[in-house]
């Protein structure tokens, strides 16, 4: 009736010199496994080991066969609570391992433990590739607003930074980012979720490069800027640094924030393997906006028809921009016809 280590050591006549010490307990295990193999045979021992390793770590209120049903490919999963309320949307390159990881105690923080206690059902959609999973997760979070997702929610109004010529040089302007993205304009930076985020980013770049917030138009008042008094400005506000040099350094400092121009004449498709390896799908993109995923020409035509009303999404922009940096030319399909 008992199967703890003390009982097993006694039952099989083993010797453990340092019982209840980590190294001593570990050292006796090979001998114990050899005793198991002698008693029941190697095949039975391996079956038992596989069963233990594959044992579901899911809580009892979830279906016991869920672990076996979860696919091991990329996709998006949804956690639902009482009454089917959507709690969380996530994505992974391996749905099974990621979902099980949520419920493994060694991976759970207090916040995640609270989340998993609320889960009553799990749904998933296979995507065939990582790009499809990223795009689908971003779209579902914005459309469905799950309670535990905050990072990918749709912002109320995107902001951008523009460099505007004024008397003597350039000033920064923080203003709403019109949809679709003005990606073909050279002096647009962002996107930012709020005006405060945009200002914080500009102030950070100014500190890094020794720029003048007063010359940039972000600080008012007479005399020098406050940063000059702290030795953080090179003096453009008092004529110590030529304005042209300051403006050149401003452009250079903002390079990493610049909205990339759309590099194609019209809409494109990014080809990706379909779910469960069945054929391929086409992610239709127009000026950084993900219009949808198509499986045939009719789908593509329908998506392009709706292109004019598609909003610009900063998360989609970043996902597509990263994808295009490493996409193989054979996976890109020129579609044209974008009406954004």
């Amino acid at each position: 009736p008992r199967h703890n280590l003390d009982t097993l050591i006694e039952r099989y006549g083993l010797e453990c010199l340092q019982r209840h010490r980590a190294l001593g307990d570990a050292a006796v295990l090979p001998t114990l496994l050899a005793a198991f193999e002698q008693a029941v045979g190697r095949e039975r021992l391996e079956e038992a080991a596989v069963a233990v390793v594959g044992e579901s770590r899911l809580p009892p209120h979830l279906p016991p066969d869920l672990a076996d049903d979860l696919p091991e490919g990329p996709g998006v999963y949804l956690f639902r609570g009482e009454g089917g309320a959507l709690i969380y949307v996530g994505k992974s390159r391996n749905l099974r391992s990621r979902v099980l990881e949520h419920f493994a105690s060694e991976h759970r923080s207090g916040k995640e433990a609270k989340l998993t206690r609320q889960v009553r059902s799990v749904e998933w959609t296979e995507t065939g590739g990582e790009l499809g999973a990223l795009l689908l997760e971003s779209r579902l979070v914005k459309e469905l607003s799950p309670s535990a997702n905050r990072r990918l929610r749709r912002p109320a109004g995107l902001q951008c930074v523009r460099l505007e010529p004024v008397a003597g040089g350039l000033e920064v302007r923080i203003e709403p980012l019109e949809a679709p993205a003005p990606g073909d304009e050279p002096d647009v930076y962002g996107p930012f979720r709020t005006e405060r985020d945009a200002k914080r980013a500009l102030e950070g770049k100014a500190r890094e490069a020794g720029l003048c917030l007063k010359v940039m138009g972000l600080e008012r008042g007479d005399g020098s800027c406050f940063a000059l008094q702290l030795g953080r400005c090179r003096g453009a506000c008092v004529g110590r640094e030529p304005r042209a040099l300051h403006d050149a350094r401003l452009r250079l400092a903002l390079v990493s924030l610049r909205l990339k121009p759309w590099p194609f004449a019209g809409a494109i498709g990014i080809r990706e393997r379909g779910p469960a390896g069945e054929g391929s799908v086409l992610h239709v993109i127009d000026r950084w906006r993900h219009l949808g995923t198509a499986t045939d020409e009719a789908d593509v035509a329908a998506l392009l028809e709706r292109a004019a009303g598609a909003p610009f999404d900063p998360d989609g922009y970043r996902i597509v921009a990263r994808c295009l940096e490493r996409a193989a030319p054979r996976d890109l399909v020129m579609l044209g016809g974008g009406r954004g």
Side-chain angles (χ1 to χ4, degrees), residues 55-68:
E55 187 176 18
S56 172
R57 293 167 288 179
L58 296 171
H61 55 263
L62 289 176
D65 55 354
L66 176 61
D68 295 330

Side-chain angles (χ1 to χ4, degrees), residues 5-52:
L5 189 55
D6 285 326
T7 301
L8 293 172
I9 288 173
E10 181 181 355
R11 180 179 302 165
Y12 289 100
L14 308 179
E15 182 179 3
C16 183
L17 299 179
Q18 291 182 303
R19 179 72 181 102
H20 299 300
R21 300 291 298 273
L23 186 58
D25 288 350
V28 77
L29 293 181
T31 309
L32 178 59
L33 289 172
F36 286 163
E37 184 176 348
Q38 185 176 2
V40 301
R42 184 175 186 82
E43 183 176 352
R44 179 69 186 90
L45 177 61
E46 289 180 349
E47 289 175 357
V50 169
V52 170

Side-chain angles (χ1 to χ4, degrees), residues 264-295:
F264 306 101
I268 67 164
I270 303 178
R271 187 181 289 112
E272 188 175 46
R273 183 167 53 91
E278 298 177 0
S280 64
V281 297
L282 204 65
H283 302 296
V284 181
I285 315 292
D286 182 29
R287 293 172 67 180
W288 304 115
R289 301 164 302 162
H290 178 226
L291 305 182
T293 300
T295 57

Side-chain angles (χ1 to χ4, degrees), residues 6-326:
D6 285 326
T7 301
L8 293 172
I9 288 173
E10 181 181 355
R11 180 179 302 165
Y12 289 100
L14 308 179
E15 182 179 3
C16 183
L17 299 179
Q18 291 182 303
R19 179 72 181 102
H20 299 300
R21 300 291 298 273
L23 186 58
D25 288 350
V28 77
L29 293 181
T31 309
L32 178 59
L33 289 172
F36 286 163
E37 184 176 348
Q38 185 176 2
V40 301
R42 184 175 186 82
E43 183 176 352
R44 179 69 186 90
L45 177 61
E46 289 180 349
E47 289 175 357
V50 169
V52 170
V53 170
E55 187 176 18
S56 172
R57 293 167 288 179
L58 296 171
H61 55 263
L62 289 176
D65 55 354
L66 176 61
D68 295 330
D69 292 340
L70 283 163
E72 295 190 338
V76 171
Y77 58 94
L78 287 73
F79 286 166
R80 294 190 181 275
E82 294 289 352
L86 183 61
I87 301 173
Y88 181 76
V89 174
K91 56 91 180 55
S92 178
R93 284 180 286 186
N94 186 315
L95 285 168
R96 184 178 188 277
S97 64
R98 181 67 187 107
V99 170
L100 293 179
E101 187 179 271
H102 276 285
F103 298 95
S105 58
E106 65 269 22
H107 292 290
R108 285 189 291 175
S109 62
K111 183 178 180 181
E112 188 160 26
K114 180 180 178 181
L115 167 68
T116 54
R117 284 196 298 268
Q118 301 175 47
V119 179
R120 294 296 179 268
S121 65
V122 181
E123 302 170 8
W124 61 88
T125 299
E126 294 181 79
T127 58
E130 185 179 10
L131 175 60
L134 287 165
L135 292 170
L136 180 58
E137 178 200 32
S138 178
R139 179 172 64 81
L140 290 180
V141 169
K142 291 174 177 61
E143 290 180 356
L144 305 178
S145 298
S147 58
N149 289 89
R150 300 195 181 278
R151 183 179 57 85
L152 293 176
R153 288 192 180 182
R154 190 183 301 280
L158 294 173
Q159 302 289 311
C160 70
V161 170
R162 299 177 190 270
L163 295 182
E164 295 289 343
V166 296
L170 295 174
E171 281 190 358
V172 298
R173 297 281 189 270
I174 301 174
E175 56 188 53
L177 175 61
E178 301 295 334
D184 52 358
E185 298 180 27
D187 289 332
V188 178
Y189 305 87
F192 304 98
R193 293 181 179 273
T194 65
E195 183 178 347
R196 181 180 178 184
D197 287 345
K199 188 173 181 180
R200 187 183 297 120
L202 289 170
E203 290 172 346
K205 293 297 183 182
R207 283 194 301 271
E208 292 173 5
L211 298 170
C212 179
L213 291 176
K214 188 171 183 181
V215 169
M216 291 167 62
L218 297 177
E219 186 178 311
R220 303 299 177 187
D222 298 327
S224 65
C225 70
F226 182 67
L228 181 65
Q229 302 171 39
L230 301 177
R232 298 176 182 171
C233 169
R234 298 186 185 180
C237 49
V238 294
R240 191 180 303 170
E241 179 184 34
R243 182 64 179 268
L245 177 57
H246 179 275
D247 290 347
R249 294 196 305 108
L250 172 60
R251 288 184 183 276
L252 187 61
L254 297 183
V255 163
S256 64
L257 300 178
R258 181 171 176 262
L259 269 174
K260 297 180 180 180
W262 180 240
F264 306 101
I268 67 164
I270 303 178
R271 187 181 289 112
E272 188 175 46
R273 183 167 53 91
E278 298 177 0
S280 64
V281 297
L282 204 65
H283 302 296
V284 181
I285 315 292
D286 182 29
R287 293 172 67 180
W288 304 115
R289 301 164 302 162
H290 178 226
L291 305 182
T293 300
T295 57
D296 55 36
E297 292 185 5
D299 288 346
V300 171
L303 291 172
L304 292 177
E305 281 292 324
R306 299 197 298 267
F312 177 75
D313 171 46
D315 300 304
Y317 163 74
R318 295 185 183 99
I319 292 168
V320 173
R322 285 196 299 268
C323 174
L324 289 179
E325 289 176 357
R326 58 180 186 270

